[in-house]
Amino acid sequence: MSAHKKNKEDLLNKQMIVRLTIDEYYEFKKYCLENHITINAFLRSLIKNAIKK
């Protein structure tokens, strides 16, 4: 069975700019690598958790 197709009208395309210093970026990247997640997945989970609360 094929995946459900989404209408463009149903999707929101938002961009967030996160500003980090070089040291903060490398620490954040190291954390994500240790937990086997991508930076985008980590930020997405933060947003989802914030919405649920």
Side-chain angles (χ1 to χ4, degrees):
M1 186 173 220
S2 63
H4 175 69
K5 294 187 179 184
K6 297 178 182 175
N7 295 328
K8 287 185 179 182
E9 299 82 26
D10 295 340
L11 299 175
L12 293 177
N13 185 10
K14 300 288 182 183
Q15 293 182 350
M16 292 180 60
I17 297 173
V18 179
R19 295 181 185 210
L20 301 170
T21 65
I22 294 173
D23 293 335
E24 290 170 338
Y25 172 76
Y26 286 122
E27 185 176 334
F28 183 45
K29 188 173 180 179
K30 179 182 165 189
Y31 173 81
C32 290
L33 287 172
E34 288 173 355
N35 291 300
H36 306 290
I37 57 172
T38 63
I39 293 173
N40 287 337
F42 178 80
L43 293 175
R44 190 177 299 120
S45 68
L46 281 179
I47 293 168
K48 286 182 180 179
N49 288 338
I51 290 171
K52 287 179 184 177
K53 289 184 179 182

